[in-house]
Amino acid sequence: MRLLSPRGWSLSLKLPVTITAVVAGVALTIGLAVLVQERARIRAELEERALLTARAVAATAVEPMLRSDYWTLYKSLVSMASGGEASGEDLVVTGMVLDSAGRVLAHLDPAANPLGLPLSLAEPEDRLWLAAVLRQDRPAISPGRRGKSDYVEALAPVLANDAPLGLVILRLSTQDLQARTVAAGLTILGLTAALAAIGSGLGTLISGRMVRPLRELAAGMESVGRGELHGLPPLTAHDRDEIGQVIDTFNRMAAELAEKKKLEQALATSEKLAALGRIAAGVAHEVNNPLAGMLNCLDTLKKRPDDASLHGRYLPLIERGLNRIQAIVHALLVELRTEGDESWDTGACLDDVRDLLQSEIGARPIRLIWDNAIGPDLCIPCRRVQQVVLNLLKNAIQAIPDSGMVIFRAYGGAGREVVLEVEDDGVGIAADALTHLFDPFYTSRPTGTGLGLWITYRLVESMRGVIEVESEPEKGSLFRVRLPAYATAPATAWGAA
Amino acid sequence: MLAATLAGLAAMPLPAIGREGVQFGLTAVVVRENIAFFERWGRYLSERLGRPVIFVRRRSYREIMELLETGELDFAWICGYPFVRRREPEYLDLVAVPIFEGAPLYRSYVIVHRDSTIRSLEDLKGKVFAYSDPDSNSGYLVPRATLARIRLSPDALFRISFFTYNHAETVEAVANRVADAGAVDSYVWEYLHRTNPALTARTRILHRSETFGFPPIVGRRGGDKGINAAMRAALLTMHEDADGKSLLAQLALDGFGAYEPSLFDEIRQLARRLSDPAVR
């Protein structure tokens, strides 16, 4: 089907086909025009020759006819009709000299047309023809037969002092004309074919020159599209035409893109370092806050070691502070923990998270809807995904002020991917908070570390997935994670993101 | 000045066309169209006579006879019929008679096309007939006398008759079926039968006449007496040398002989029977 539609054709086919068609069309048109003209010319020539011969016979026929010298009449008819060498014997179909009543005075076929008898005509149509031609008073090509029969008929009256003695009828075959037309037609066809072949060769050559740089350009653009900007050699422009200009522009664009990517990478590196700095500062700040309180407590306890009332007041404070530090450290360690030994399993391993969550919900009036539809044909890295799901679900539960609903959905998406959705009808996220949602130590809760979603983001990234958020304040939020899925565990473990 | 011009012309290697040497007229009694042969024969006779011999062709017998009478021609190969016509005064001498198949005799053939349905002279009724020459014995006189003998009037018998002025062309006319039948010199027919058998094969001999004196070679009386004798001597001895023999072979003749004018008495009687006023 693709071959039938010219829109689907490659340029390297379209161009030669077009050139061939144009060349062949032009050659054929000109050839046919010449053929038609040539045919008309040859026919006119034939008619002229027939007429000339008939007139010559008529001129020489006067004397023999007046003298009843039928032998001389016959001889002159034969010699004139057979004409020169070039005319050929096949050319003359028939020739005759009739008297004014239509009796044969000489005929090129004397055996069938006896001397002195009326011309034998079987068909009534022929008798009508004879009656018509006998009225002919001037040399002429028989009009009724023009173009109709396979011969040209010339009529020449034999006149003695303008008195009609009889009529010369000469028919020349048009078979030679047909043969010459056919031969000329074949020559034209041959020429057309030859020109078409040359045209298609030329077209192939030109299209080759045009298509090769275009293909290179397409390949180059594809590389750019994939982001493979390095190691892309500049394309060579062979001609200074439009294609050459496109190649130059492309080369410039690719060079600029490569430059831009380099800058971006440098920028990313510095951003990473800045982020690391921010994290370190955050950790220091977060750890430092409880530390100051705890050191105060310890100082007071050291001063008054026997004051039991202080124990009851300060020890829980110290414990809370240490717990907070532990939580921060745990959160920071999550990433390290999950790297290395990864356990690959089917989606069913996510159901373990459900039990953990029930204890998180406790007695709160929160409804958890669990819909894990990942089939056994898909394979996921369990621990990381569990961590991601747990983090998101915990956030969802925390986002619900009193009572509400949390929905977890997991399914195999389009292609080889796994989609995880966590939806709640909680407080939602403010628009300006959305932009900082995944920043480390960004939190909207007073007790939060601000590391949960950052870690989730890092985990998703480490699995080459993406995370999306849809949220409306006071209505709820939807977190959607898309992960590549595998039928079996991949041979190479993911490196650190 | 005119003499000077003529002398200048004579000095040129190619002579101008004109009356020069011995003029020898040819009629349809031989196949005149064999130019190469007559050139060779002319050279032969020129040598024998010591004077150039030029062959002269005319369409009809009558033209040749008139040229003989006016002295334009010195010799001619004519038919027996014009020979027996009365001349006042006589201006012809009988020089020699060709010998054909052993005798100075020939016949008249009535020929038809090979595929013709004509089986007898009676079948010629309503047909087209080709005579050779109105002054020909074999091509006109004999067939008419033959038909008259069986009480057929030639003028009423044929649908059309015409003259070809040439025995060879009479054969052609019949072979091409322009004419249904024709009268022809037996010598010419036999000669063509040897040289152009494809042509004669398309004809069939319907009737053979009795024999007549062969068309003779005549000379002008009252001219140069010596030349007539020289010509007779040259012709009568042609068969004695190789060159002459080969020429005779080409003519399909045995030789030439000297005969009396009485050889043509049968023709004279025939003409008389058809009430030709010009025959004594």
Short mmCIF file of all heavy atoms in Angstrom, two decimals, chain A residues 407-467:
data_model
loop_
_atom_site.label_atom_id
_atom_site.label_comp_id
_atom_site.label_asym_id
_atom_site.label_seq_id
_atom_site.Cartn_x
_atom_site.Cartn_y
_atom_site.Cartn_z
N ILE A 407 -6.53 6.75 49.24
CA ILE A 407 -6.67 5.69 48.21
C ILE A 407 -5.28 5.36 47.68
O ILE A 407 -4.48 6.27 47.36
CB ILE A 407 -7.55 6.15 47.03
CG1 ILE A 407 -8.89 6.67 47.56
CG2 ILE A 407 -7.73 5.04 46.02
CD1 ILE A 407 -9.71 7.42 46.53
N PHE A 408 -5.00 4.09 47.62
CA PHE A 408 -3.77 3.65 46.98
C PHE A 408 -4.14 2.81 45.76
O PHE A 408 -4.94 1.89 45.84
CB PHE A 408 -2.92 2.83 47.95
CG PHE A 408 -1.75 2.18 47.25
CD1 PHE A 408 -0.67 2.95 46.81
CD2 PHE A 408 -1.74 0.81 47.00
CE1 PHE A 408 0.39 2.36 46.15
CE2 PHE A 408 -0.67 0.22 46.34
CZ PHE A 408 0.40 1.00 45.92
N ARG A 409 -3.58 3.19 44.62
CA ARG A 409 -3.78 2.42 43.39
C ARG A 409 -2.43 2.09 42.79
O ARG A 409 -1.54 2.95 42.74
CB ARG A 409 -4.59 3.22 42.37
CG ARG A 409 -6.08 3.28 42.62
CD ARG A 409 -6.78 3.95 41.47
NE ARG A 409 -6.43 5.36 41.39
CZ ARG A 409 -7.15 6.33 41.98
NH1 ARG A 409 -8.23 6.03 42.66
NH2 ARG A 409 -6.78 7.58 41.87
N ALA A 410 -2.28 0.87 42.36
CA ALA A 410 -1.05 0.47 41.66
C ALA A 410 -1.46 -0.40 40.47
O ALA A 410 -2.28 -1.30 40.60
CB ALA A 410 -0.14 -0.30 42.60
N TYR A 411 -0.93 -0.08 39.31
CA TYR A 411 -1.28 -0.89 38.13
C TYR A 411 -0.18 -0.78 37.08
O TYR A 411 0.66 0.13 37.09
CB TYR A 411 -2.62 -0.43 37.55
CG TYR A 411 -2.72 1.04 37.25
CD1 TYR A 411 -2.36 1.54 36.00
CD2 TYR A 411 -3.18 1.95 38.22
CE1 TYR A 411 -2.44 2.90 35.73
CE2 TYR A 411 -3.27 3.29 37.95
CZ TYR A 411 -2.90 3.77 36.71
OH TYR A 411 -2.99 5.10 36.44
N GLY A 412 -0.22 -1.73 36.19
CA GLY A 412 0.73 -1.69 35.07
C GLY A 412 0.20 -0.74 34.02
O GLY A 412 -0.89 -0.92 33.51
N GLY A 413 0.95 0.27 33.73
CA GLY A 413 0.48 1.29 32.79
C GLY A 413 0.79 0.94 31.36
O GLY A 413 1.11 -0.22 31.04
N ALA A 414 0.67 1.95 30.52
CA ALA A 414 0.95 1.73 29.10
C ALA A 414 2.41 1.36 28.92
O ALA A 414 3.29 1.90 29.58
CB ALA A 414 0.63 3.01 28.33
N GLY A 415 2.65 0.41 28.04
CA GLY A 415 4.04 -0.03 27.83
C GLY A 415 4.53 -0.77 29.07
O GLY A 415 3.75 -1.22 29.91
N ARG A 416 5.84 -0.84 29.19
CA ARG A 416 6.38 -1.55 30.36
C ARG A 416 6.61 -0.52 31.46
O ARG A 416 7.74 -0.06 31.67
CB ARG A 416 7.69 -2.24 29.96
CG ARG A 416 7.47 -3.55 29.25
CD ARG A 416 7.88 -4.70 30.16
NE ARG A 416 7.39 -5.97 29.65
CZ ARG A 416 6.42 -6.65 30.26
NH1 ARG A 416 5.87 -6.19 31.35
NH2 ARG A 416 6.05 -7.80 29.76
N GLU A 417 5.53 -0.14 32.14
CA GLU A 417 5.70 0.78 33.27
C GLU A 417 4.70 0.43 34.37
O GLU A 417 3.67 -0.20 34.13
CB GLU A 417 5.55 2.24 32.82
CG GLU A 417 4.14 2.67 32.50
CD GLU A 417 4.03 4.18 32.29
OE1 GLU A 417 5.06 4.88 32.24
OE2 GLU A 417 2.90 4.67 32.21
N VAL A 418 5.09 0.88 35.55
CA VAL A 418 4.24 0.66 36.72
C VAL A 418 3.79 2.04 37.19
O VAL A 418 4.60 2.97 37.24
CB VAL A 418 5.04 -0.06 37.83
CG1 VAL A 418 4.27 0.00 39.15
CG2 VAL A 418 5.30 -1.49 37.42
N VAL A 419 2.49 2.16 37.44
CA VAL A 419 1.97 3.44 37.93
C VAL A 419 1.48 3.24 39.37
O VAL A 419 0.75 2.29 39.65
CB VAL A 419 0.82 3.93 37.04
CG1 VAL A 419 0.32 5.29 37.54
CG2 VAL A 419 1.30 4.05 35.60
N LEU A 420 1.95 4.14 40.24
CA LEU A 420 1.54 4.11 41.65
C LEU A 420 0.84 5.43 41.92
O LEU A 420 1.37 6.49 41.57
CB LEU A 420 2.75 3.97 42.56
CG LEU A 420 3.72 2.83 42.23
CD1 LEU A 420 5.02 3.03 43.01
CD2 LEU A 420 3.10 1.49 42.56
N GLU A 421 -0.36 5.35 42.48
CA GLU A 421 -1.08 6.58 42.79
C GLU A 421 -1.49 6.59 44.26
O GLU A 421 -2.02 5.59 44.78
CB GLU A 421 -2.32 6.69 41.91
CG GLU A 421 -2.00 7.05 40.48
CD GLU A 421 -3.25 7.13 39.61
OE1 GLU A 421 -4.34 6.78 40.10
OE2 GLU A 421 -3.11 7.52 38.44
N VAL A 422 -1.24 7.72 44.91
CA VAL A 422 -1.68 7.88 46.30
C VAL A 422 -2.53 9.15 46.35
O VAL A 422 -2.05 10.22 45.98
CB VAL A 422 -0.47 7.99 47.26
CG1 VAL A 422 -0.96 8.31 48.68
CG2 VAL A 422 0.32 6.70 47.25
N GLU A 423 -3.78 8.98 46.73
CA GLU A 423 -4.69 10.10 46.70
C GLU A 423 -5.30 10.30 48.09
O GLU A 423 -5.61 9.33 48.79
CB GLU A 423 -5.78 9.80 45.67
CG GLU A 423 -6.61 11.01 45.30
CD GLU A 423 -7.63 10.70 44.22
OE1 GLU A 423 -7.62 9.57 43.69
OE2 GLU A 423 -8.44 11.59 43.92
N ASP A 424 -5.47 11.55 48.47
CA ASP A 424 -6.14 11.81 49.76
C ASP A 424 -7.10 12.97 49.59
O ASP A 424 -7.02 13.71 48.60
CB ASP A 424 -5.10 12.13 50.85
CG ASP A 424 -4.37 13.41 50.57
OD1 ASP A 424 -4.97 14.50 50.68
OD2 ASP A 424 -3.14 13.33 50.16
N ASP A 425 -8.02 13.10 50.51
CA ASP A 425 -8.94 14.24 50.47
C ASP A 425 -8.65 15.19 51.63
O ASP A 425 -9.54 15.71 52.30
CB ASP A 425 -10.40 13.81 50.46
CG ASP A 425 -10.73 12.90 51.64
OD1 ASP A 425 -9.78 12.58 52.39
OD2 ASP A 425 -11.90 12.54 51.80
N GLY A 426 -7.34 15.35 51.88
CA GLY A 426 -6.90 16.16 53.00
C GLY A 426 -6.83 17.64 52.69
O GLY A 426 -7.57 18.13 51.84
N VAL A 427 -5.87 18.32 53.31
CA VAL A 427 -5.81 19.78 53.24
C VAL A 427 -5.32 20.29 51.88
O VAL A 427 -5.52 21.44 51.52
CB VAL A 427 -4.91 20.37 54.35
CG1 VAL A 427 -5.56 20.18 55.71
CG2 VAL A 427 -3.52 19.74 54.30
N GLY A 428 -4.62 19.44 51.18
CA GLY A 428 -4.09 19.89 49.89
C GLY A 428 -2.81 20.70 50.07
O GLY A 428 -2.33 20.90 51.19
N ILE A 429 -2.27 21.12 48.95
CA ILE A 429 -0.99 21.82 49.00
C ILE A 429 -1.17 23.18 48.34
O ILE A 429 -1.76 23.28 47.24
CB ILE A 429 0.11 21.03 48.27
CG1 ILE A 429 0.23 19.62 48.85
CG2 ILE A 429 1.45 21.75 48.32
CD1 ILE A 429 0.90 18.64 47.95
N ALA A 430 -0.67 24.19 48.97
CA ALA A 430 -0.77 25.53 48.41
C ALA A 430 0.07 25.63 47.16
O ALA A 430 1.08 24.92 47.02
CB ALA A 430 -0.30 26.56 49.43
N ALA A 431 -0.33 26.51 46.26
CA ALA A 431 0.34 26.61 44.96
C ALA A 431 1.82 26.97 45.13
O ALA A 431 2.68 26.38 44.47
CB ALA A 431 -0.36 27.65 44.09
N ASP A 432 2.12 27.90 46.06
CA ASP A 432 3.53 28.28 46.20
C ASP A 432 4.33 27.19 46.88
O ASP A 432 5.54 27.09 46.69
CB ASP A 432 3.64 29.60 46.98
CG ASP A 432 3.00 29.51 48.36
OD1 ASP A 432 2.11 28.64 48.51
OD2 ASP A 432 3.42 30.26 49.26
N ALA A 433 3.68 26.34 47.65
CA ALA A 433 4.38 25.23 48.30
C ALA A 433 4.74 24.13 47.30
O ALA A 433 5.71 23.40 47.48
CB ALA A 433 3.51 24.65 49.42
N LEU A 434 3.93 24.07 46.22
CA LEU A 434 4.17 22.99 45.24
C LEU A 434 5.57 23.07 44.63
O LEU A 434 6.19 22.05 44.35
CB LEU A 434 3.13 23.08 44.12
CG LEU A 434 1.80 22.34 44.35
CD1 LEU A 434 0.84 22.63 43.22
CD2 LEU A 434 2.02 20.83 44.49
N THR A 435 6.06 24.29 44.45
CA THR A 435 7.36 24.42 43.77
C THR A 435 8.50 23.93 44.67
O THR A 435 9.56 23.57 44.18
CB THR A 435 7.61 25.89 43.39
OG1 THR A 435 7.41 26.70 44.53
CG2 THR A 435 6.67 26.32 42.28
N HIS A 436 8.26 23.97 46.01
CA HIS A 436 9.35 23.55 46.92
C HIS A 436 9.10 22.19 47.52
O HIS A 436 9.83 21.77 48.41
CB HIS A 436 9.49 24.56 48.08
CG HIS A 436 9.80 25.94 47.59
ND1 HIS A 436 11.01 26.25 47.01
CD2 HIS A 436 9.06 27.09 47.59
CE1 HIS A 436 11.01 27.53 46.67
NE2 HIS A 436 9.82 28.06 47.00
N LEU A 437 8.08 21.52 46.99
CA LEU A 437 7.60 20.29 47.63
C LEU A 437 8.70 19.27 47.86
O LEU A 437 8.75 18.59 48.88
CB LEU A 437 6.50 19.68 46.76
CG LEU A 437 5.47 18.83 47.48
CD1 LEU A 437 4.82 19.63 48.61
CD2 LEU A 437 4.40 18.36 46.49
N PHE A 438 9.61 19.16 46.87
CA PHE A 438 10.60 18.08 46.97
C PHE A 438 11.95 18.59 47.47
O PHE A 438 12.94 17.87 47.43
CB PHE A 438 10.75 17.39 45.61
CG PHE A 438 9.47 16.74 45.15
CD1 PHE A 438 8.70 17.28 44.15
CD2 PHE A 438 9.03 15.57 45.78
CE1 PHE A 438 7.53 16.68 43.75
CE2 PHE A 438 7.85 14.97 45.38
CZ PHE A 438 7.09 15.52 44.36
N ASP A 439 11.99 19.85 47.88
CA ASP A 439 13.26 20.37 48.44
C ASP A 439 13.52 19.73 49.80
O ASP A 439 12.58 19.46 50.56
CB ASP A 439 13.17 21.89 48.63
CG ASP A 439 13.23 22.62 47.30
OD1 ASP A 439 13.30 21.92 46.24
OD2 ASP A 439 13.19 23.87 47.30
N PRO A 440 14.81 19.50 50.10
CA PRO A 440 15.11 18.91 51.42
C PRO A 440 14.82 19.94 52.54
O PRO A 440 15.02 21.15 52.36
CB PRO A 440 16.58 18.58 51.34
CG PRO A 440 17.12 19.42 50.23
CD PRO A 440 16.00 19.65 49.30
N PHE A 441 14.38 19.44 53.66
CA PHE A 441 14.08 20.22 54.88
C PHE A 441 12.97 21.24 54.67
O PHE A 441 12.81 22.17 55.42
CB PHE A 441 15.35 20.93 55.42
CG PHE A 441 16.46 19.95 55.69
CD1 PHE A 441 17.59 19.91 54.91
CD2 PHE A 441 16.32 19.03 56.75
CE1 PHE A 441 18.59 19.00 55.15
CE2 PHE A 441 17.33 18.13 57.00
CZ PHE A 441 18.47 18.09 56.20
N TYR A 442 12.21 21.03 53.58
CA TYR A 442 11.03 21.90 53.40
C TYR A 442 9.85 21.15 53.99
O TYR A 442 9.53 20.04 53.56
CB TYR A 442 10.82 22.19 51.90
CG TYR A 442 9.57 23.01 51.67
CD1 TYR A 442 9.64 24.42 51.76
CD2 TYR A 442 8.35 22.40 51.43
CE1 TYR A 442 8.50 25.16 51.60
CE2 TYR A 442 7.22 23.15 51.26
CZ TYR A 442 7.29 24.54 51.34
OH TYR A 442 6.15 25.27 51.19
N THR A 443 9.21 21.73 54.91
CA THR A 443 8.07 21.06 55.53
C THR A 443 7.02 22.08 55.94
O THR A 443 7.34 23.24 56.20
CB THR A 443 8.50 20.22 56.74
OG1 THR A 443 7.34 19.60 57.29
CG2 THR A 443 9.18 21.08 57.81
N SER A 444 5.79 21.60 55.89
CA SER A 444 4.68 22.47 56.29
C SER A 444 4.23 22.08 57.72
O SER A 444 3.36 22.73 58.27
CB SER A 444 3.54 22.35 55.29
OG SER A 444 3.15 21.00 55.18
N ARG A 445 4.79 21.01 58.22
CA ARG A 445 4.38 20.57 59.56
C ARG A 445 5.46 20.95 60.57
O ARG A 445 6.66 20.83 60.28
CB ARG A 445 4.23 19.05 59.56
CG ARG A 445 3.01 18.55 58.78
CD ARG A 445 2.72 17.10 59.14
NE ARG A 445 3.90 16.27 59.11
CZ ARG A 445 4.35 15.68 58.01
NH1 ARG A 445 3.74 15.83 56.87
NH2 ARG A 445 5.42 14.93 58.06
N PRO A 446 5.04 21.36 61.72
CA PRO A 446 6.04 21.77 62.73
C PRO A 446 6.95 20.62 63.16
O PRO A 446 8.15 20.83 63.41
CB PRO A 446 5.19 22.27 63.91
CG PRO A 446 3.79 21.86 63.63
CD PRO A 446 3.66 21.55 62.19
N THR A 447 6.42 19.37 63.18
CA THR A 447 7.24 18.24 63.64
C THR A 447 7.97 17.54 62.51
O THR A 447 8.77 16.64 62.72
CB THR A 447 6.35 17.21 64.35
OG1 THR A 447 5.33 16.83 63.44
CG2 THR A 447 5.75 17.81 65.62
N GLY A 448 7.68 17.92 61.25
CA GLY A 448 8.28 17.20 60.11
C GLY A 448 9.75 17.52 59.94
O GLY A 448 10.22 18.57 60.36
N THR A 449 10.49 16.57 59.36
CA THR A 449 11.90 16.80 59.11
C THR A 449 12.11 17.52 57.79
O THR A 449 13.17 18.08 57.51
CB THR A 449 12.68 15.49 59.05
OG1 THR A 449 12.13 14.69 58.01
CG2 THR A 449 12.59 14.75 60.36
N GLY A 450 11.10 17.40 56.91
CA GLY A 450 11.24 18.00 55.57
C GLY A 450 12.09 17.14 54.65
O GLY A 450 12.59 17.60 53.63
N LEU A 451 12.25 15.87 55.04
CA LEU A 451 13.10 15.00 54.21
C LEU A 451 12.29 13.90 53.49
O LEU A 451 12.77 13.28 52.55
CB LEU A 451 14.18 14.35 55.06
CG LEU A 451 15.27 15.31 55.54
CD1 LEU A 451 16.16 14.63 56.56
CD2 LEU A 451 16.10 15.81 54.37
N GLY A 452 11.04 13.67 53.97
CA GLY A 452 10.24 12.56 53.42
C GLY A 452 10.07 12.61 51.90
O GLY A 452 10.44 11.68 51.18
N LEU A 453 9.55 13.73 51.43
CA LEU A 453 9.28 13.82 49.99
C LEU A 453 10.59 13.96 49.19
O LEU A 453 10.68 13.50 48.06
CB LEU A 453 8.36 15.02 49.70
CG LEU A 453 6.88 14.72 49.87
CD1 LEU A 453 6.05 15.95 49.60
CD2 LEU A 453 6.42 13.58 48.95
N TRP A 454 11.59 14.60 49.82
CA TRP A 454 12.88 14.71 49.14
C TRP A 454 13.46 13.33 48.88
O TRP A 454 13.91 12.99 47.79
CB TRP A 454 13.84 15.57 50.00
CG TRP A 454 15.22 15.66 49.41
CD1 TRP A 454 15.59 16.30 48.29
CD2 TRP A 454 16.41 15.07 49.95
NE1 TRP A 454 16.91 16.18 48.05
CE2 TRP A 454 17.47 15.42 49.08
CE3 TRP A 454 16.69 14.29 51.10
CZ2 TRP A 454 18.79 15.01 49.30
CZ3 TRP A 454 18.02 13.91 51.31
CH2 TRP A 454 19.04 14.27 50.42
N ILE A 455 13.36 12.47 49.92
CA ILE A 455 13.87 11.10 49.79
C ILE A 455 13.04 10.33 48.77
O ILE A 455 13.57 9.61 47.92
CB ILE A 455 13.86 10.41 51.17
CG1 ILE A 455 15.02 10.97 51.98
CG2 ILE A 455 13.96 8.90 51.04
CD1 ILE A 455 14.89 10.72 53.46
N THR A 456 11.73 10.53 48.83
CA THR A 456 10.85 9.87 47.86
C THR A 456 11.26 10.25 46.43
O THR A 456 11.41 9.40 45.55
CB THR A 456 9.39 10.29 48.10
OG1 THR A 456 9.06 9.98 49.45
CG2 THR A 456 8.46 9.58 47.15
N TYR A 457 11.48 11.54 46.27
CA TYR A 457 11.87 12.03 44.95
C TYR A 457 13.16 11.38 44.51
O TYR A 457 13.30 10.91 43.38
CB TYR A 457 12.02 13.56 45.02
CG TYR A 457 12.47 14.18 43.71
CD1 TYR A 457 11.54 14.43 42.71
CD2 TYR A 457 13.80 14.50 43.51
CE1 TYR A 457 11.95 14.99 41.52
CE2 TYR A 457 14.21 15.05 42.32
CZ TYR A 457 13.28 15.30 41.32
OH TYR A 457 13.70 15.84 40.15
N ARG A 458 14.14 11.32 45.44
CA ARG A 458 15.43 10.73 45.12
C ARG A 458 15.30 9.25 44.77
O ARG A 458 15.94 8.75 43.85
CB ARG A 458 16.41 10.89 46.30
CG ARG A 458 16.62 12.33 46.75
CD ARG A 458 17.71 12.99 45.98
NE ARG A 458 18.99 12.39 46.22
CZ ARG A 458 20.08 12.63 45.48
NH1 ARG A 458 19.96 13.45 44.44
NH2 ARG A 458 21.23 12.08 45.76
N LEU A 459 14.42 8.58 45.50
CA LEU A 459 14.23 7.15 45.26
C LEU A 459 13.62 6.92 43.85
O LEU A 459 14.06 6.06 43.09
CB LEU A 459 13.30 6.54 46.31
CG LEU A 459 13.95 6.22 47.66
CD1 LEU A 459 12.87 5.87 48.67
CD2 LEU A 459 14.94 5.05 47.51
N VAL A 460 12.59 7.71 43.57
CA VAL A 460 11.93 7.57 42.26
C VAL A 460 12.95 7.84 41.15
O VAL A 460 13.04 7.12 40.16
CB VAL A 460 10.73 8.53 42.16
CG1 VAL A 460 10.21 8.59 40.73
CG2 VAL A 460 9.63 8.08 43.09
N GLU A 461 13.74 8.88 41.37
CA GLU A 461 14.75 9.22 40.37
C GLU A 461 15.76 8.09 40.20
O GLU A 461 16.18 7.77 39.10
CB GLU A 461 15.46 10.50 40.81
CG GLU A 461 15.88 11.34 39.64
CD GLU A 461 16.50 12.65 40.10
OE1 GLU A 461 17.26 12.66 41.08
OE2 GLU A 461 16.20 13.68 39.45
N SER A 462 16.13 7.48 41.37
CA SER A 462 17.12 6.39 41.31
C SER A 462 16.56 5.19 40.54
O SER A 462 17.32 4.38 40.02
CB SER A 462 17.52 5.97 42.71
OG SER A 462 16.49 5.17 43.30
N MET A 463 15.23 5.09 40.47
CA MET A 463 14.63 3.99 39.70
C MET A 463 14.27 4.44 38.28
O MET A 463 13.58 3.74 37.55
CB MET A 463 13.37 3.50 40.41
CG MET A 463 13.66 2.77 41.70
SD MET A 463 12.18 2.11 42.47
CE MET A 463 11.47 3.57 43.17
N ARG A 464 14.76 5.60 37.89
CA ARG A 464 14.50 6.19 36.57
C ARG A 464 13.01 6.39 36.32
O ARG A 464 12.50 6.14 35.23
CB ARG A 464 15.10 5.31 35.46
CG ARG A 464 16.60 5.24 35.62
CD ARG A 464 17.34 4.74 34.46
NE ARG A 464 18.76 4.72 34.79
CZ ARG A 464 19.60 3.80 34.36
NH1 ARG A 464 19.18 2.82 33.60
NH2 ARG A 464 20.87 3.85 34.70
N GLY A 465 12.34 6.78 37.40
CA GLY A 465 10.92 7.05 37.29
C GLY A 465 10.66 8.53 37.37
O GLY A 465 11.59 9.34 37.45
N VAL A 466 9.36 8.87 37.30
CA VAL A 466 8.99 10.27 37.46
C VAL A 466 7.89 10.35 38.50
O VAL A 466 7.14 9.38 38.71
CB VAL A 466 8.48 10.91 36.15
CG1 VAL A 466 9.62 11.13 35.20
CG2 VAL A 466 7.39 10.07 35.52
N ILE A 467 7.82 11.51 39.17
CA ILE A 467 6.77 11.70 40.15
C ILE A 467 6.02 12.97 39.80
O ILE A 467 6.63 13.96 39.39
CB ILE A 467 7.36 11.73 41.58
CG1 ILE A 467 6.24 11.87 42.60
CG2 ILE A 467 8.40 12.83 41.76
CD1 ILE A 467 6.68 11.44 44.00
#
